[in-house]
Each structure stands twice: as structure tokens, then as C-alpha cells.
Amino acid sequence: MKKKINILLFAAVIAVSLTSCGKKEAMENQEAYRQIGINDMKEGKYEEAIDAFQSALDQSVSKVGERELDICYYKAQAQYLSGDTDAAIDTYTALINYDKKNADAYYLRGSLYLLEEENDKAVKDYENAVKNDDKNYDLLIQAYCDLSDAGLTEEAKPYLTQAVEIKGDEARDYAMRGKAYVLMGDYEKAKEQLDKAIELGSEQATLYRAQVYSAEG
């Protein structure tokens, strides 16, 4: 009986060992394909990059993790650069379906909808992006700029208002609020925020302050 138990334990150990080895090999292959895809993108070989990223995703042997999500972003970028915007949108949609609170995927899909002049879908995606990351100055300001450049001025305005209402007393907080006020054309409030940011050592705020001087002649 003891011998039988030992044999069963040995078999279990071997099974775990083989699973571990297989998983390790798959992870190594996944990283190799990912790097091939990145190199292909740098060389402008976007179709090859897409194939490599898909091969990387095919190596997944467990639940979706940060590595797989990262590869999906690369794949979507390669699809867009290859001229297949619809495929890139589909990839971002898959990311959103996996995580309904993925602000980055909403923003990136929305930016592609803007390029395709599907403005209603773009506006909705930008709203969802900001809803899920409402303290992100960069997202708010970029959303404003994108929508304004697309001629959607009224849809863009609330994002600057939201940006200047974010609380915070770090140098970056003052600098980013100042930048938002510059874009709003409220130079007095911009100067207040930027001067405080400069006092706290923000080099970024110095650039925005120069924009105020330029705007005021």
C-alpha cells in the first residue's frame, strides 16, 4: 500500500513539473514573439508585426494578465498603422469587453472613431474614458484637444472645466490646472496656477507661462 502511495505521489510531482515546464516555455515563446512584433513595427513591417503579436497571444496558457493586455495594445497599434482601422477598433473593443473600466482602451478606440468621423461613438468613448479615470489631467486635456480639433467644441469644453476642478497641491497639479486655464483663455487664473507651480519647481509650468506671455503679447 505504501509503495502504491509513493508511486501516486511521484506521478503527481512529475505532472506538476511538466505543467510548470510547459508554462515556462510558453511564457518564453510569448515574450519572443512580442519582441519580434515590436521589432517588425520599428521596421514598418506592420502585417508581420500583427502576426507576431497574435502568435504571442496564442501562447497564453493561463488567465489573461498584464502581459497579454500589453500585447493587445501593440497589436491594435500595428493594425492601425497597417491601415486596418476597423481591426484596431475590434481589438480595443475586445479589451473593453474584458474590462469595462479600461479608460485607455475607451480613449484609444474613441480617437479612432474620430478619425473615421464617427463622432457620436467617439464622444461616447471619451465620456467613458474620463468616467473611469476622472482625475487624469493628461486624459482630460487630450480629450479636449482631440474633440476641439475635430470641430466638436461644445463637447470638448467640459473636460477643461473638469481638469481645473481636480484638487491637489503638488507642483504638477498647479501646472496642469494652469495649462487647462491657458486653453480656456483665462490667463489670469492660468498665471496664478503656473506661478505657484514654478515656485514649487515645475519646469513644465515655465513653458506654459511662456505661452501666456505670448498670448498677451
Side-chain angles (χ1 to χ4, degrees), residues 38-97:
I38 292 172
N39 293 339
D40 283 338
M41 282 183 65
K42 289 178 179 178
E43 296 174 11
K45 298 189 291 187
Y46 303 123
E47 295 294 343
E48 290 88 339
I50 294 168
D51 290 339
F53 292 134
Q54 185 56 54
S55 294
L57 292 171
D58 290 341
Q59 301 302 309
S60 182
V61 295
S62 59
K63 65 180 182 180
V64 175
E66 292 299 320
R67 185 189 299 264
E68 285 76 20
L69 296 178
D70 175 70
I71 294 168
C72 283
Y73 284 115
Y74 274 117
K75 180 183 175 183
Q77 185 180 7
Q79 289 169 323
Y80 167 68
L81 292 172
S82 75
D84 195 347
T85 302
D86 288 341
I89 287 174
D90 287 343
T91 299
Y92 289 131
T93 300
L95 286 166
I96 291 168
N97 289 338

Side-chain angles (χ1 to χ4, degrees), residues 142-178:
Q142 192 59 54
Y144 166 81
C145 292
D146 291 350
L147 293 170
S148 293
D149 290 344
L152 302 173
T153 307
E154 291 305 311
E155 291 84 352
K157 287 180 180 178
Y159 293 115
L160 290 185
T161 301
Q162 191 168 338
V164 299
E165 290 175 351
I166 296 175
K167 305 299 181 184
D169 55 7
E170 300 292 330
R172 175 171 165 75
D173 293 306
Y174 288 109
M176 297 307 289
R177 286 194 296 263

Side-chain angles (χ1 to χ4, degrees), residues 10-215:
F10 177 74
V13 169
I14 290 296
V16 171
S17 177
L18 289 174
T19 301
S20 178
C21 289
K23 185 176 181 180
K24 180 181 179 182
E25 181 180 0
M27 290 179 64
E28 290 174 350
N29 289 340
Q30 185 178 67
E31 181 56 31
Y33 280 122
R34 174 182 175 277
Q35 193 57 54
I36 290 170
I38 292 172
N39 293 339
D40 283 338
M41 282 183 65
K42 289 178 179 178
E43 296 174 11
K45 298 189 291 187
Y46 303 123
E47 295 294 343
E48 290 88 339
I50 294 168
D51 290 339
F53 292 134
Q54 185 56 54
S55 294
L57 292 171
D58 290 341
Q59 301 302 309
S60 182
V61 295
S62 59
K63 65 180 182 180
V64 175
E66 292 299 320
R67 185 189 299 264
E68 285 76 20
L69 296 178
D70 175 70
I71 294 168
C72 283
Y73 284 115
Y74 274 117
K75 180 183 175 183
Q77 185 180 7
Q79 289 169 323
Y80 167 68
L81 292 172
S82 75
D84 195 347
T85 302
D86 288 341
I89 287 174
D90 287 343
T91 299
Y92 289 131
T93 300
L95 286 166
I96 291 168
N97 289 338
Y98 175 74
D99 178 7
K100 297 295 186 182
K101 295 183 178 181
N102 189 333
D104 291 336
Y106 277 119
Y107 169 74
L108 291 167
R109 189 177 70 174
S111 66
L112 294 187
Y113 280 139
L114 268 187
L115 291 174
E116 295 295 294
E117 298 184 351
E118 295 190 56
N119 293 342
D120 290 342
K121 291 181 179 179
V123 169
K124 186 64 176 178
D125 271 358
Y126 278 48
E127 288 174 355
N128 280 319
V130 170
K131 181 175 69 175
N132 289 296
D133 194 6
D134 60 356
K135 298 295 189 293
N136 187 331
Y137 291 109
D138 294 315
L139 174 60
L140 288 163
I141 291 173
Q142 192 59 54
Y144 166 81
C145 292
D146 291 350
L147 293 170
S148 293
D149 290 344
L152 302 173
T153 307
E154 291 305 311
E155 291 84 352
K157 287 180 180 178
Y159 293 115
L160 290 185
T161 301
Q162 191 168 338
V164 299
E165 290 175 351
I166 296 175
K167 305 299 181 184
D169 55 7
E170 300 292 330
R172 175 171 165 75
D173 293 306
Y174 288 109
M176 297 307 289
R177 286 194 296 263
K179 180 179 181 179
Y181 277 124
V182 171
L183 292 170
M184 293 169 74
D186 191 337
Y187 299 126
E188 287 305 314
K189 289 184 178 178
K191 286 185 284 189
E192 291 175 7
Q193 296 291 318
L194 295 174
D195 287 346
K196 183 63 177 179
I198 292 169
E199 286 177 20
L200 295 172
S202 172
E203 294 181 4
Q204 188 180 31
T206 304
L207 173 61
Y208 302 147
R209 192 68 170 86
Q211 292 174 351
V212 174
Y213 285 132
S214 178

